[in-house]
Amino acid sequence: MDINPNQVADKWLLPFNVPDRQKISSIKVISIFGDHRDSYYKGHIHTAIDINPATPKTKLIDVYAMANGVICSIHLGENQKTVVVKHKLRNGSMMFTSYKHLKEVYVKTGDFITPNTRLARLFTKEESKKYGGDYHHLHLEIRKKFDDYGCASWLTMNKVQLDDRFYNPLVFLKTNLK
């Protein structure tokens, strides 16, 4: 989508309703960025971190936007449903946050959002079992560009491709949560 955000993304928060959305210890990292993967497309590199709240308040876990932006894509099917947010930085450049494995999506393409915008909710463990996998976590990507309709998520095969399109989400969070 060619629409640009109407506000600068100048405050970053964790994507969950946790007591302190700026405290990295409020999340539990399940899988790391750059890890080898044999799921979906054998041999690809993990372009995200898989996370959950460290201590979930409820069984139904909502996912929130991490900063001001605009919804630029909602794509893929049931257990891979993905919402992508386009963010404008202070220097005028654009970047993207991508949230995958969403059960219910509450936004639509073109919506302007803030960090208080509830984007979706995650699968519960029980809902995840229906698909024969572990989809009850957030696959969080921090993207330098989004010109591939999300295909790089499973087609990234080496570090050069990884570094071309993605930031390490854990490093990004540690650097930008203030």
Side-chain angles (χ1 to χ4, degrees):
M1 165 165 250
D2 285 339
I3 193 166
N4 285 323
N6 60 358
Q7 295 180 22
V8 170
D10 55 0
K11 181 174 181 168
W12 294 89
L13 300 173
L14 292 170
F16 301 119
N17 183 17
V18 291
D20 187 347
R21 290 185 66 196
Q22 295 179 308
K23 193 172 180 184
I24 198 78
S25 63
S26 297
I27 60 169
K28 177 173 61 173
V29 178
I30 297 162
S31 185
I32 62 170
F33 179 76
D35 222 5
H36 177 81
R37 286 283 193 261
D38 282 329
S39 60
Y40 199 71
Y41 195 78
K42 191 173 177 65
H44 77 273
I45 294 174
H46 197 224
T47 57
I49 55 173
D50 293 338
I51 58 175
N52 274 322
T55 51
K57 294 179 182 179
T58 65
K59 184 175 168 180
L60 301 180
I61 299 171
D62 286 325
V63 176
Y64 288 81
M66 293 172 55
N68 294 328
V70 63
I71 306 297
C72 67
S73 180
I74 300 173
H75 60 274
L76 298 176
E78 184 67 22
N79 62 329
Q80 302 293 325
K81 183 68 78 177
T82 304
V83 172
V84 181
V85 178
K86 184 178 188 180
H87 304 279
K88 179 171 58 176
L89 303 178
R90 286 186 193 269
N91 66 7
S93 67
M94 301 293 170
M95 61 160 296
F96 305 83
T97 51
S98 178
Y99 311 80
K100 183 182 283 190
H101 299 315
L102 306 174
K103 176 63 178 166
E104 296 175 0
V105 174
Y106 309 122
V107 293
K108 63 186 184 316
T109 303
D111 284 355
F112 292 101
I113 52 92
T114 72
N116 295 319
T117 303
R118 185 172 66 137
L119 302 175
R121 85 162 168 86
L122 297 179
F123 281 84
T124 64
K125 285 183 183 179
E126 295 77 21
E127 291 167 336
S128 178
K129 286 179 188 175
K130 175 182 174 184
Y131 299 96
D134 295 324
Y135 302 108
H136 50 282
H137 62 265
L138 177 63
H139 172 98
L140 176 67
E141 293 176 348
I142 310 293
R143 290 173 152 264
K144 297 174 182 179
K145 51 189 164 183
F146 186 73
D147 58 355
D148 62 324
Y149 197 64
C151 294
S153 297
W154 60 85
L155 294 177
T156 297
M157 304 303 280
N158 59 54
K159 185 160 175 28
V160 171
Q161 293 171 339
L162 185 69
D163 291 341
D164 179 51
R165 291 187 173 278
F166 301 93
Y167 295 105
N168 181 326
L170 197 52
V171 171
F172 183 88
L173 290 171
K174 287 178 180 178
T175 303
N176 289 286
L177 296 178
K178 296 174 180 159

